[in-house]
Amino acid sequence: MTEQSELFDKKVECPICKKEFLTKKVKTSRLRLLKRDEDFLNHYSAENPIKYSIFVCPNCGYAASENKFNDIKKDQIGIIIDNISSRWNKRDFGGIRDLDEAIESYKLALLAGTLLKAKNLEQGNICLSLGWLYRLKEEKNEEVRFLKLARDQFIEAYNTESLSGTNMDDSKLSYLIGELSRRLSEKEEALSWFNTCLNLASTRMNPALNDMAREQWRLVKEM
């Protein structure tokens, strides 16, 4: 059960409608990491901050991850107004979110990102988070569906986009593509991407990632 004391209110101004709203965030001082899955999902003893990483304007329906919420150009505002705000049934995501509300917030962000032609890496991260949320909800089919969408977006990002200025580099992304392929039971694809990761000089400079990639490669070989 989420306690109010684990959360705080953050005031946000929507770049689309200019209205202010409150959204909850998890206090970092309350975070206690229990474990981390091989595809980087963190499990905490209390509330998981990924449930609150998407800001949703209750007035116009615009949704995006916290670090991208204000990265909208003037000529894109009309796209959101025409395609989302015009049919938005006003509702507030500013309270304590259950997994279903968190999932809905990410799907709203995925829709906005699709309309705004967001980068594959950004859309892949949203799909990955949706896969994680369905894992926490123990809905395997939906988890697999979104992990596959994430994996395919990440492959596009690896092949076509610059990763500079993001939280990814070639080593981490190739590892993640390999791990998602492993979880999708796609053995040859997984081996190929783990090999790509292990052959990168940047991986050899990251001993923890290098060890993870070798261990996951070994698991795939035993499939």
Side-chain angles (χ1 to χ4, degrees):
M1 185 72 180
T2 303
E3 296 181 15
Q4 191 70 33
S5 60
E6 296 171 20
L7 305 169
F8 68 93
D9 286 323
K10 182 179 177 67
K11 184 182 289 187
V12 181
E13 181 182 295
C14 176
I16 304 296
C17 66
K18 306 304 180 187
K19 298 278 178 64
E20 285 190 344
F21 62 93
L22 295 177
T23 191
K24 296 224 179 300
K25 297 286 294 176
V26 179
K27 296 175 182 175
T28 53
S29 61
R30 300 299 296 267
L31 292 176
R32 298 290 181 271
L33 184 67
L34 295 177
K35 66 172 182 172
R36 172 180 276 187
D37 293 346
E38 291 83 359
D39 61 352
F40 306 130
L41 168 61
N42 290 330
H43 296 261
Y44 296 94
S45 59
E47 191 68 306
N48 196 314
I50 69 166
K51 290 165 64 177
Y52 301 94
S53 293
I54 301 295
F55 290 175
V56 183
C57 176
N59 182 64
C60 71
Y62 171 60
S65 59
E66 179 178 6
N67 62 340
K68 293 293 179 183
F69 194 71
N70 290 309
D71 289 358
I72 188 161
K73 302 178 177 66
K74 285 185 178 180
D75 61 356
Q76 295 178 316
I77 292 175
I79 296 172
I80 298 298
I81 292 172
D82 291 345
N83 292 280
I84 293 178
S85 307
S86 63
R87 58 196 76 175
W88 175 244
N89 176 25
K90 290 187 181 181
R91 52 202 187 278
D92 193 350
F93 287 79
I96 295 173
R97 294 179 187 174
D98 60 22
L99 287 170
D100 287 324
E101 289 167 325
I103 286 167
E104 187 178 358
S105 74
Y106 276 92
K107 287 182 176 177
L108 289 167
L110 192 62
L111 171 61
T114 301
L115 291 168
L116 299 176
K117 297 180 170 55
K119 289 186 174 182
N120 290 296
L121 183 65
E122 295 168 20
Q123 295 291 80
N125 281 327
I126 291 175
C127 289
L128 180 59
S129 292
L130 278 162
W132 289 344
L133 288 165
Y134 278 116
R135 184 181 307 163
L136 294 173
K137 201 179 173 201
E138 299 181 343
E139 289 192 12
K140 185 66 176 176
N141 288 342
E142 287 298 287
E143 176 193 343
V144 167
R145 182 164 79 92
F146 279 100
L147 292 187
K148 186 175 190 312
L149 286 169
R151 193 276 310 270
D152 293 347
Q153 294 268 18
F154 287 148
I155 290 174
E156 278 296 308
Y158 189 93
N159 290 327
T160 65
E161 294 175 1
S162 168
L163 301 178
S164 63
T166 74
N167 64 345
M168 285 283 183
D169 58 21
D170 286 348
S171 293
K172 187 176 177 182
L173 188 54
S174 56
Y175 165 82
L176 185 53
I177 294 169
E179 174 58 19
L180 294 179
S181 299
R182 184 189 72 80
R183 288 173 176 266
L184 295 167
S185 300
E186 296 184 16
K187 182 174 181 177
E188 296 308 316
E189 188 88 354
L191 287 173
S192 175
W193 282 100
F194 284 136
N195 282 330
T196 296
C197 176
L198 289 165
N199 285 324
L200 290 168
S202 52
T203 302
R204 292 190 288 277
M205 294 168 62
N206 185 340
L209 184 65
N210 189 66
D211 290 347
M212 285 173 65
R214 289 189 183 284
E215 175 61 19
Q216 298 312 97
W217 181 92
R218 185 186 63 77
L219 289 177
V220 176
K221 291 292 283 188
E222 295 174 357
M223 284 170 63

